[in-house]
């Protein structure tokens, strides 16, 4: 059985749990090691007790760098009792650095995979810090035999033009993990009724989205409501809960489990807010967010921002709504004219897409593991998974 050492920057990240489930479903053994953002260490992640590398804080780059350096020094003692892995995955740049250290500790034979699902804004700076970060990434990425990323725009806009990685790339979109235990996607139409509900779910880190949606809901005077669920990035808001509570027709309903709770929460809304201005013009324009796949899989009509990869993705398929300008007035112009028949047509178009556009199943898990297995056995390079984007 293939043994993978998976190094992650945040053990509480729901996406880490999903990747662990995907690897397990593909038939591998995973040793999980990573940092945490909580005072109390995690008991388990997807049934695996993790190796705790210490506590870090979201957004505090210098503190994280110091914690990373300390973890690199202690890595031998942290990993000393585990069996040598067949392969090492580093999830984001800081963990790629630890993957290189771990590879050396275990004799240098285990291939490294670089999993990059976001391009941090520090990597895109034009100053000495940005150049230094990119140089470090290029040096570390030379040791990786495969890059796993979730959007073709990351390759098209960053990795290829900046020369950050010249090896094989595997596109692994942020699809809903469907392993046979989830509720089926809805087969009935959701009627457009007042209040019309917009769901903004997942990583809540965008102050501009909150301000735009708050202003829009206030202007609509109860015809529209905005429901927020997920994990707020408290480093990006002065007081997230207070701001939401003070905004009429907005509500925050806490975290949710992915994929277990998706049918319930998306069954309660009409539209998915698939927009993020957190790093506008850069990462936010290039990503394909989890909420895009989650909402569409459950028949919810997505709203994307013009000029982004998400908008391109929807336009190719002829589904969803594209917001032309990031203003409450533009959102009102987009949504206010929609009546029952127009909404039914938009929802029918989403439902007409094949389910495989939105879900990753056991076959996808096996395909991922087969790709990783090929690296271990130094087999000829396999092509990237063919996933329409």
């Amino acid at each position: 059985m293939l043994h993978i050492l998976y190094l992650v920057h945040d053990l509480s990240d729901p996406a880490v749990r999903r990747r662990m489930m995907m690897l397990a479903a593909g038939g591998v053994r995973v040793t999980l090691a990573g940092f945490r953002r909580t005072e109390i260490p995690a008991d388990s992640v997807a049934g695996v007790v993790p190796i705790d590398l210490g506590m870090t804080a979201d957004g505090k780059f210098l503190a994280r760098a110091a914690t990373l350096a300390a973890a690199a020094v202690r890595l031998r003692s942290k990993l000393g009792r585990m069996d040598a892995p067949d392969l090492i995955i580093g999830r984001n740049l800081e963990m790629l650095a630890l993957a290189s250290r771990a590879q050396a500790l275990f004799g240098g034979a285990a291939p490294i995979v670089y999993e990059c699902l976001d391009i941090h804004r520090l990597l895109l700076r034009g100053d000495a810090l940005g150049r230094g970060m990119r140089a470090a990434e290029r040096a570390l990425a030379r040791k990786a035999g495969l890059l796993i990323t979730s959007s073709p725009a990351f390759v098209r806009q960053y990795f290829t033009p900046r020369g950050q990685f010249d090896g094989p790339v595997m596109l692994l979109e942020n699809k809903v993990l469907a392993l046979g235990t989830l509720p089926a996607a809805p087969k009935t139409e959701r009627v457009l009724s007042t209040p019309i509900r917009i769901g903004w779910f997942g990583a809540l880190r965008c102050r501009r989205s909150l301000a735009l949606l708050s202003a829009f809901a206030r202007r609509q005077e109860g015809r529209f409501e905005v429901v927020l669920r997920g994990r707020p990035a408290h480093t990006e808001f002065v007081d997230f809960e207070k701001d939401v509570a003070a905004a009429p027709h907005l509500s925050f309903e806490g975290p949710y489990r992915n994929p277990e709770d998706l049918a319930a929460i998306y069954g309660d809304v009409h539209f998915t807010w698939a927009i993020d201005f957190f790093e506008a013009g850069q990462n936010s324009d290039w990503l394909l967010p989890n909420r895009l796949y989650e909402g569409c899989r459950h028949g919810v009509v997505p709203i994307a921002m013009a000029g982004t990869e998400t908008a391109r993705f929807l336009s190719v398929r002829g589904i969803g709504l594209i917001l032309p300008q990031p203003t409450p007035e533009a959102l009102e112009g987009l949504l206010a004219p929609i009546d029952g028949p127009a909404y039914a047509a938009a929802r029918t178009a989403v439902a007409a897409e094949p389910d495989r556009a939105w879900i990753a199943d056991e076959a996808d898990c096996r395909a991922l593991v087969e790709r990783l297995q090929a690296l271990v056995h130094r087999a000829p390079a396999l092509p990237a998974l063919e996933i329409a984007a």
Side-chain angles (χ1 to χ4, degrees), residues 1-4 20 22-30 369 372-373:
M1 178 182 290
L2 185 68
H3 176 205
I4 293 175
M20 289 287 291
M22 199 170 186
L23 291 168
V28 303
R29 178 166 67 96
V30 182
V369 170
L372 300 178
Q373 188 79 57

Side-chain angles (χ1 to χ4, degrees), residues 141-332:
R142 281 196 289 269
K143 298 182 179 182
L146 178 68
L147 169 67
I148 294 177
T149 193
S150 57
S151 170
F154 290 147
V155 179
R156 189 173 66 245
Q157 300 287 353
Y158 175 72
F159 283 105
T160 296
R162 292 181 180 268
Q164 295 303 108
F165 185 78
D166 61 1
V169 178
M170 183 177 189
L171 179 65
L172 201 58
E173 294 171 274
N174 291 315
K175 295 183 177 183
V176 176
L177 190 57
L179 299 177
T181 60
L182 297 179
K187 300 300 182 183
T188 59
E189 293 294 328
R190 178 168 172 78
V191 177
L192 190 69
S193 57
T194 303
I196 300 169
R197 310 190 88 198
I198 301 172
W200 180 21
F201 302 152
L204 307 175
R205 59 185 184 177
C206 179
R207 292 193 302 270
R208 192 173 178 185
S209 284
L210 182 60
L212 195 161
L213 289 167
S214 298
F216 169 74
R218 185 176 295 108
R219 290 166 65 99
Q220 291 298 304
E221 298 180 337
R223 183 179 179 227
F224 284 84
E225 290 182 351
V226 180
V227 182
L228 295 83
R229 296 178 186 263
R231 298 202 308 167
H234 290 286
T235 55
E236 303 301 322
F237 300 96
V238 175
D239 192 330
F240 174 82
E241 286 79 5
K242 183 179 178 181
D243 291 343
V244 174
H249 315 299
L250 263 68
S251 62
F252 174 56
E253 301 186 9
Y256 61 93
R257 295 178 303 161
N258 184 342
E260 293 87 346
D261 297 337
L262 297 182
I265 66 173
Y266 282 98
D268 194 40
V269 298
H270 300 90
F271 296 97
T272 301
W273 185 254
I275 294 176
D276 188 309
F277 303 107
F278 178 62
E279 291 170 345
Q282 299 178 343
N283 188 73
S284 292
D285 285 7
W286 303 337
L287 55 76
L288 292 173
N290 291 295
R291 59 181 71 97
L292 169 67
Y293 301 91
E294 295 168 1
C296 288
R297 197 257 172 172
H298 293 92
V300 182
V301 178
I303 303 170
M305 188 67 226
T308 65
E309 186 69 9
T310 304
R312 190 191 74 85
F313 179 99
L314 296 176
S315 296
V316 167
R317 290 158 177 78
I319 61 175
L321 301 177
I322 309 301
L323 181 64
Q325 297 292 332
T327 65
E329 294 81 8
L331 185 57
E332 185 174 40

Side-chain angles (χ1 to χ4, degrees), residues 345-362:
R347 187 178 173 96
T348 297
V350 172
E353 289 293 306
D355 213 26
R356 283 199 57 78
W358 317 123
I359 68 168
D361 59 13
E362 287 89 347

Side-chain angles (χ1 to χ4, degrees), residues 18 25 44 59 68 80 100 106 188:
R18 292 199 309 276
S44 68
L68 177 67
S100 178
F106 286 108
T188 59

